[in-house]
Amino acid sequence: MGAYDRVQAARAKGRPTSIDYINNIFTNFQELHGDRRYGDDGAIIGGIGRLMGEPVTIIAQEKGQNTKDKVARNFGSPNPEGYRKALRLMKQAEKFHRPVVCLVDTSGAYPGLGAEERGQAQAIAENLMEMMTLRTPVISVLVGEGGSGGALALAVSDEVWMMENSIYSVISPEGCASILWRDARKVKEASECLRLTAEDLLSLGVIERIIPESGKDFSNAYMNLQTWLKKAIDDRRDVDIDELLAKRYERFRKFGRVSNEV
């Protein structure tokens, strides 16, 4: 599949959303609401559940599964209160020594006037800063679209994984085409240039794992993801927390590093 085919697959109608992953991977999920400052944001779901018996905190961006639900969830574009809710639950997880699993699926943070007035950029920046030093294991999985800082705000993690047909980019292909060529119709060319597919990002060292999808039946994908998440968390159980944070910091510091070797 070409890069633009992956973009279309990531946005396809009927593709599982974060709620499907929560229902098929975790048990006893209890959703928690609100940022304790302004309100609740339906674009981000957060709560506590069990991963093969182990308590974990789950934070997920949700686009919605029908028209009414999509509108209620702002089509998966979070407001600042959504990111603050996510951070509140991460800090709670840190306090009670629960690992954090983030499911990323957004075209980007909501750019509306109200969001900017309530501190959208600050909310995202706080998440980036706090996640880098969060004293508990964090794994992020891109299950659909991963757009710009709106996605990165839930992806400063020990490891970042991608579903086979998900995408992850600093800008949408349409936005890139409009800026570079002043022609949104050049979306296919932009998709290739952005290196936004899971294969591209694995080769660049931006992600650590690709989860196979096996067509429209995601049952095997759910099972594999569940198993790999449990193993990733178990592998970090006895790791000194300062060592864990040092590795997380180095993971991001190495991006774009140029070798001095001739």
Side-chain angles (χ1 to χ4, degrees), residues 2-142:
Y4 187 59
D5 295 321
R6 300 286 189 189
V7 172
Q8 292 179 306
R11 298 170 174 172
K13 183 179 180 180
R15 180 179 177 84
T17 64
S18 292
I19 286 178
D20 296 304
Y21 286 84
I22 291 172
N23 290 338
N24 284 279
I25 295 174
F26 305 96
T27 56
N28 303 112
F29 178 68
Q30 178 64 52
E31 186 174 359
L32 302 174
H33 298 273
D35 68 342
R36 303 299 187 266
R37 297 191 195 180
Y38 179 81
D40 193 41
D41 183 6
I44 291 186
I45 297 172
I48 303 167
R50 290 187 177 272
L51 175 64
M52 300 178 75
E54 178 169 1
V56 295
T57 290
I58 305 122
I59 300 168
Q61 291 163 327
E62 173 60 34
K63 288 185 172 182
Q65 299 188 318
N66 55 53
T67 301
K68 183 178 179 180
D69 194 28
K70 288 177 187 292
V71 171
R73 298 190 183 280
N74 204 30
F75 296 85
S77 292
N79 281 281
E81 49 271 22
Y83 291 115
R84 291 181 178 126
K85 173 172 67 173
L87 181 57
R88 179 176 75 83
L89 297 180
M90 290 180 202
K91 299 301 285 186
Q92 182 192 81
E94 179 183 62
K95 178 179 179 180
F96 292 103
H97 308 291
R98 285 193 302 268
V100 176
V101 177
C102 295
L103 303 176
V104 179
D105 188 10
T106 183
S107 58
Y110 185 57
L113 178 61
E116 297 298 335
E117 289 176 336
R118 297 194 300 278
Q120 183 72 287
Q122 182 185 30
I124 292 172
E126 285 179 349
N127 276 32
L128 303 183
M129 179 177 68
E130 294 288 348
M131 288 185 76
M132 188 63 75
T133 56
L134 195 70
R135 299 179 71 82
T136 194
V138 187
I139 305 293
S140 295
V141 185
L142 284 100

Side-chain angles (χ1 to χ4, degrees), residues 138-141 155 157-161 208-209 232 236 251:
V138 187
I139 305 293
S140 295
V141 185
S157 310
D158 301 313
E159 290 192 10
V160 177
W161 304 347
E208 282 74 28
R209 187 188 293 272
R236 289 163 174 78
R251 179 187 185 276

Side-chain angles (χ1 to χ4, degrees), residues 134-256:
L134 195 70
R135 299 179 71 82
T136 194
V138 187
I139 305 293
S140 295
V141 185
L142 284 100
V143 300
E145 286 189 273
S148 193
L152 187 60
L154 295 186
V156 179
S157 310
D158 301 313
E159 290 192 10
V160 177
W161 304 347
M162 290 179 68
M163 300 303 295
E164 181 182 355
N165 290 320
S166 62
I167 58 174
Y168 193 21
S169 175
V170 70
I171 192 172
S172 69
E174 292 83 1
C176 177
S178 297
I179 292 171
L180 292 185
W181 292 285
R182 298 187 180 182
D183 185 354
R185 292 173 298 180
K186 291 189 177 290
V187 64
K188 292 185 178 180
E189 292 90 332
S191 298
E192 295 292 340
C193 293
L194 284 169
R195 303 290 297 277
L196 45 65
T197 70
E199 290 84 357
D200 286 333
L201 294 166
L202 183 66
S203 70
L204 292 169
V206 175
I207 66 168
E208 282 74 28
R209 187 188 293 272
I210 299 173
I211 314 297
E213 293 187 11
S214 304
K216 293 185 178 181
D217 181 8
F218 274 67
S219 55
N220 286 335
Y222 295 139
M223 184 168 55
N224 289 335
L225 183 53
Q226 182 186 60
T227 301
W228 289 331
L229 283 171
K230 184 64 164 63
K231 184 178 187 305
I233 289 170
D234 287 345
D235 288 346
R236 289 163 174 78
R237 191 184 309 279
D238 297 322
V239 176
D240 179 78
I241 193 63
D242 291 326
E243 180 183 349
L244 186 75
L245 296 183
K247 288 181 178 178
R248 189 185 303 163
Y249 182 75
E250 179 58 25
R251 179 187 185 276
F252 287 90
R253 285 285 293 172
K254 71 182 181 181
F255 290 171

